[in-house]
Protein backbone atom coordinates (compact mmCIF):
# COMPACT_ATOMS: atom_id res chain seq x y z
CA UNK A 1 0.00 0.00 0.00
CA UNK A 2 1.41 3.40 -0.90
CA UNK A 3 1.36 5.99 1.85
CA UNK A 4 2.31 9.62 1.39
CA UNK A 5 3.74 11.45 4.40
CA UNK A 6 2.89 15.15 4.37
CA UNK A 7 2.04 18.01 6.71
CA UNK A 8 -1.42 17.76 8.26
CA UNK A 9 -4.23 19.97 6.93
CA UNK A 10 -7.45 21.12 8.53
CA UNK A 11 -9.39 18.63 6.38
CA UNK A 12 -7.46 15.79 8.10
CA UNK A 13 -8.39 16.78 11.66
CA UNK A 14 -11.51 14.56 11.98
CA UNK A 15 -9.68 11.50 10.73
CA UNK A 16 -6.69 12.25 12.99
CA UNK A 17 -9.10 12.48 15.91
CA UNK A 18 -10.58 9.07 15.05
CA UNK A 19 -7.11 7.53 14.57
CA UNK A 20 -5.92 8.78 17.98
CA UNK A 21 -9.09 7.65 19.77
CA UNK A 22 -8.67 4.17 18.29
CA UNK A 23 -4.89 3.93 18.90
CA UNK A 24 -4.84 5.00 22.54
CA UNK A 25 -6.88 3.60 25.44
CA UNK A 26 -8.54 6.94 26.25
CA UNK A 27 -9.44 10.21 24.50
CA UNK A 28 -6.58 12.19 26.14
CA UNK A 29 -4.17 12.11 23.19
CA UNK A 30 -6.88 13.31 20.78
CA UNK A 31 -7.77 16.09 23.23
CA UNK A 32 -4.12 17.11 23.72
CA UNK A 33 -3.64 17.43 19.96
CA UNK A 34 -6.73 19.67 19.69
CA UNK A 35 -5.58 21.83 22.62
CA UNK A 36 -2.07 22.14 21.15
CA UNK A 37 -3.51 23.31 17.81
CA UNK A 38 -5.78 25.84 19.53
CA UNK A 39 -2.75 27.17 21.45
CA UNK A 40 -0.69 27.39 18.23
CA UNK A 41 1.68 24.87 19.76
CA UNK A 42 1.41 22.29 16.97
CA UNK A 43 4.96 22.99 15.84
CA UNK A 44 5.01 20.19 13.27
CA UNK A 45 2.16 17.84 12.48
CA UNK A 46 2.44 15.15 9.80
CA UNK A 47 0.08 12.50 8.51
CA UNK A 48 0.66 9.32 6.56
CA UNK A 49 -2.17 9.20 4.02
CA UNK A 50 -3.29 6.54 1.59
CA UNK A 51 -5.11 7.69 -1.56
CA UNK A 52 -8.47 5.96 -1.97
CA UNK A 53 -10.16 7.19 -5.16
CA UNK A 54 -10.34 10.96 -4.75
CA UNK A 55 -10.28 10.66 -0.97
CA UNK A 56 -7.21 10.29 1.20
CA UNK A 57 -7.40 8.07 4.26
CA UNK A 58 -5.23 9.03 7.24
CA UNK A 59 -3.31 5.97 8.47
CA UNK A 60 -0.65 7.59 10.64
CA UNK A 61 -0.04 10.78 12.58
CA UNK A 62 2.84 12.42 14.43
CA UNK A 63 3.06 15.73 16.23
CA UNK A 64 5.94 17.77 17.63
CA UNK A 65 5.27 20.50 20.20
CA UNK A 66 7.37 22.98 22.19
CA UNK A 67 9.35 21.84 25.23
CA UNK A 68 11.25 24.02 27.69
CA UNK A 69 14.57 22.96 29.20
CA UNK A 70 15.55 24.87 32.34
CA UNK A 71 18.95 24.66 34.00
CA UNK A 72 19.34 24.70 37.79
CA UNK A 73 20.56 28.29 37.38
CA UNK A 74 17.27 29.22 35.68
CA UNK A 75 18.54 29.50 32.08
CA UNK A 76 15.85 28.44 29.59
CA UNK A 77 16.27 26.73 26.24
CA UNK A 78 13.53 25.68 23.84
CA UNK A 79 13.28 22.46 21.88
CA UNK A 80 10.56 20.10 20.72
CA UNK A 81 8.78 17.04 22.10
CA UNK A 82 7.78 14.16 19.81
CA UNK A 83 4.33 12.75 20.43
CA UNK A 84 1.80 11.50 20.17
CA UNK A 85 2.67 9.05 17.40
CA UNK A 86 -0.03 6.73 16.13
CA UNK A 87 -0.42 4.22 13.30
CA UNK A 88 -3.71 2.62 12.27
CA UNK A 89 -4.03 -0.91 13.67
CA UNK A 90 -4.44 -2.41 10.19
CA UNK A 91 -0.98 -1.34 9.01
CA UNK A 92 1.27 -1.67 12.06
CA UNK A 93 4.66 -3.41 12.09
CA UNK A 94 5.39 -2.46 8.50
CA UNK A 95 7.71 0.43 9.28
CA UNK A 96 5.16 3.24 8.98
CA UNK A 97 5.73 4.41 12.56
CA UNK A 98 9.48 4.60 11.92
CA UNK A 99 8.87 6.38 8.61
CA UNK A 100 6.74 9.00 10.40
CA UNK A 101 9.48 9.65 12.98
CA UNK A 102 12.17 9.82 10.28
CA UNK A 103 10.06 12.21 8.17
CA UNK A 104 9.46 14.46 11.18
CA UNK A 105 13.14 14.59 12.06
CA UNK A 106 13.98 15.28 8.41
CA UNK A 107 11.61 18.31 8.42
CA UNK A 108 13.28 19.59 11.59
CA UNK A 109 16.72 19.36 9.99
CA UNK A 110 16.10 22.75 8.41
CA UNK A 111 15.05 24.42 11.65
CA UNK A 112 17.33 25.57 14.48
CA UNK A 113 15.88 23.06 16.96
CA UNK A 114 18.65 22.20 19.47
CA UNK A 115 17.01 19.04 20.84
CA UNK A 116 14.00 16.74 20.55
CA UNK A 117 12.68 14.73 23.50
CA UNK A 118 10.37 11.72 23.54
CA UNK A 119 8.69 9.53 26.14
CA UNK A 120 8.64 6.03 24.73
CA UNK A 121 10.33 2.69 24.30
CA UNK A 122 14.15 3.11 24.40
CA UNK A 123 14.47 0.05 22.14
CA UNK A 124 12.32 1.69 19.49
CA UNK A 125 13.66 5.24 19.58
CA UNK A 126 17.36 4.28 19.73
CA UNK A 127 17.21 3.64 15.95
CA UNK A 128 16.73 7.39 15.40
CA UNK A 129 19.60 8.40 17.70
CA UNK A 130 17.58 9.07 20.86
CA UNK A 131 19.52 8.34 24.08
CA UNK A 132 18.36 8.34 27.72
CA UNK A 133 18.03 11.96 28.82
CA UNK A 134 19.22 11.04 32.31
CA UNK A 135 22.68 10.23 30.88
CA UNK A 136 23.24 13.97 30.40
CA UNK A 137 21.53 15.06 33.60
CA UNK A 138 18.24 15.93 31.92
CA UNK A 139 15.01 15.10 33.72
CA UNK A 140 11.29 15.24 32.81
CA UNK A 141 9.57 17.50 35.35
CA UNK A 142 6.85 14.88 36.00
CA UNK A 143 9.41 12.17 36.88
CA UNK A 144 9.47 11.71 40.66
CA UNK A 145 12.45 9.39 40.37
CA UNK A 146 10.65 6.35 41.79
CA UNK A 147 10.21 4.42 38.52
CA UNK A 148 13.40 3.48 36.62
CA UNK A 149 11.36 2.48 33.54
CA UNK A 150 9.79 5.93 33.36
CA UNK A 151 13.19 7.59 33.74
CA UNK A 152 14.59 5.36 30.96
CA UNK A 153 11.59 6.15 28.71
CA UNK A 154 12.45 9.85 28.68
CA UNK A 155 14.94 10.25 25.86
CA UNK A 156 16.61 13.04 23.95
CA UNK A 157 18.05 13.54 20.50
CA UNK A 158 20.65 16.30 20.67
CA UNK A 159 20.88 18.29 17.45
CA UNK A 160 23.12 21.13 18.61
CA UNK A 161 25.46 19.99 21.37
CA UNK A 162 26.90 23.48 21.90
CA UNK A 163 23.47 24.87 22.82
CA UNK A 164 22.44 22.01 25.11
CA UNK A 165 23.87 22.36 28.63
CA UNK A 166 24.74 19.28 30.62
CA UNK A 167 22.97 18.77 33.93
CA UNK A 168 23.95 16.63 36.86
CA UNK A 169 22.19 14.54 39.46
CA UNK A 170 22.25 17.44 41.94
CA UNK A 171 21.63 20.17 39.39
CA UNK A 172 19.50 18.60 36.65
CA UNK A 173 18.22 20.32 33.53
CA UNK A 174 14.41 20.09 33.88
CA UNK A 175 12.24 19.54 30.83
CA UNK A 176 8.60 20.62 30.63
CA UNK A 177 6.09 19.83 27.90
CA UNK A 178 3.49 22.40 26.82
CA UNK A 179 0.69 22.92 29.44
CA UNK A 180 -1.76 21.30 26.97
CA UNK A 181 -0.43 17.93 28.14
CA UNK A 182 -1.92 18.60 31.59
CA UNK A 183 -5.23 19.95 30.29
CA UNK A 184 -6.81 16.80 28.82
CA UNK A 185 -9.49 15.22 31.00
C1 LIG B 1 3.73 2.56 18.37
C2 LIG B 1 3.22 2.57 16.92
C3 LIG B 1 3.09 4.01 16.43
C4 LIG B 1 4.23 1.83 16.04
O1 LIG B 1 3.78 1.88 14.71
P1 LIG B 1 4.33 0.84 13.63
O2 LIG B 1 4.01 1.37 12.29
O3 LIG B 1 3.86 -0.52 13.98
O4 LIG B 1 5.91 0.96 13.92
P2 LIG B 1 7.09 0.28 13.14
O5 LIG B 1 6.55 -0.65 12.09
O6 LIG B 1 8.03 1.33 12.75
O7 LIG B 1 7.81 -0.53 14.30
C5 LIG B 1 7.18 -1.63 14.88
C6 LIG B 1 8.10 -2.26 15.88
O8 LIG B 1 8.48 -1.36 16.92
C7 LIG B 1 7.98 -1.81 18.18
N1 LIG B 1 7.47 -0.65 18.91
C8 LIG B 1 7.02 0.49 18.39
N2 LIG B 1 6.64 1.34 19.37
C9 LIG B 1 6.84 0.72 20.51
C10 LIG B 1 6.61 1.06 21.84
N3 LIG B 1 6.07 2.26 22.20
N4 LIG B 1 6.94 0.16 22.78
C11 LIG B 1 7.47 -1.05 22.43
N5 LIG B 1 7.69 -1.43 21.16
C12 LIG B 1 7.37 -0.56 20.21
C13 LIG B 1 6.89 -2.77 17.82
O9 LIG B 1 6.71 -3.72 18.83
C14 LIG B 1 7.43 -3.40 16.58
O10 LIG B 1 8.46 -4.32 16.85
P3 LIG B 1 8.28 -5.87 16.54
O11 LIG B 1 7.63 -5.96 15.22
O12 LIG B 1 9.67 -6.39 16.60
O13 LIG B 1 7.43 -6.34 17.66
C15 LIG B 1 1.85 1.84 16.82
O14 LIG B 1 2.00 0.54 17.37
C16 LIG B 1 0.72 2.56 17.56
O15 LIG B 1 0.07 3.44 17.00
N6 LIG B 1 0.49 2.18 18.82
C17 LIG B 1 -0.56 2.79 19.64
C18 LIG B 1 -0.21 4.20 20.02
C19 LIG B 1 1.11 4.26 20.78
O16 LIG B 1 1.36 3.48 21.69
N7 LIG B 1 1.97 5.22 20.37
C20 LIG B 1 3.32 5.35 20.94
C21 LIG B 1 3.37 6.24 22.11
S1 LIG B 1 3.19 7.96 21.68
Amino acid sequence: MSVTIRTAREGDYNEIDQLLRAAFPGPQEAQIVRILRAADADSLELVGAHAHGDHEHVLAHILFSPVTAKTAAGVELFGLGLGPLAVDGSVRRQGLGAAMVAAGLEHLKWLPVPFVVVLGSPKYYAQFGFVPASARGWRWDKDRGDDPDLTAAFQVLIRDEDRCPLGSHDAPVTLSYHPAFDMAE
Side-chain angles (χ1 to χ4, degrees), residues 66-70 76-80 115 173-178:
V67 164
T68 309
K70 196 169 183 178
E76 284 189 338
L77 172 72
F78 300 96
L80 290 179
F115 66 85
V173 173
T174 306
L175 284 289
S176 308
Y177 282 88
H178 189 276

Side-chain angles (χ1 to χ4, degrees), residues 23-24 82-88 91-99 119-121 123-125 127-128:
F24 291 96
L82 185 170
L85 164 68
V87 171
D88 187 279
V91 288
R92 286 187 192 158
R93 293 187 156 180
Q94 297 171 34
L96 184 51
L119 261 171
S121 158
K123 208 176 122 212
Y124 189 67
Y125 286 101
Q127 65 184 302
F128 311 106

Side-chain angles (χ1 to χ4, degrees), residues 46-181:
L46 302 179
V47 292
H50 169 61
H52 195 72
D54 25 345
H55 176 69
E56 274 188 324
H57 183 43
V58 173
L59 291 172
H61 172 260
I62 191 168
L63 188 137
F64 294 80
S65 63
V67 164
T68 309
K70 196 169 183 178
T71 69
V75 178
E76 284 189 338
L77 172 72
F78 300 96
L80 290 179
L82 185 170
L85 164 68
V87 171
D88 187 279
S90 66
V91 288
R92 286 187 192 158
R93 293 187 156 180
Q94 297 171 34
L96 184 51
M100 295 299 291
V101 174
L105 296 176
E106 181 68 24
H107 266 73
L108 299 181
K109 222 160 89 177
W110 308 105
L111 300 173
V113 178
F115 66 85
V116 180
V117 292
V118 70
L119 261 171
S121 158
K123 208 176 122 212
Y124 189 67
Y125 286 101
Q127 65 184 302
F128 311 106
F130 284 88
V131 296
S134 60
R136 57 184 299 121
W138 285 29
R139 188 187 138 265
W140 179 35
D141 64 353
K142 297 283 192 291
D143 183 359
R144 291 194 302 265
D146 53 2
D147 180 352
D149 288 343
L150 181 69
T151 302
F154 189 60
Q155 301 155 72
V156 63
L157 176 67
I158 300 292
R159 302 186 61 245
D160 186 347
E161 188 66 54
D162 292 346
R163 288 173 61 204
C164 291
L166 287 173
S168 66
H169 184 74
D170 295 332
V173 173
T174 306
L175 284 289
S176 308
Y177 282 88
H178 189 276
F181 283 84

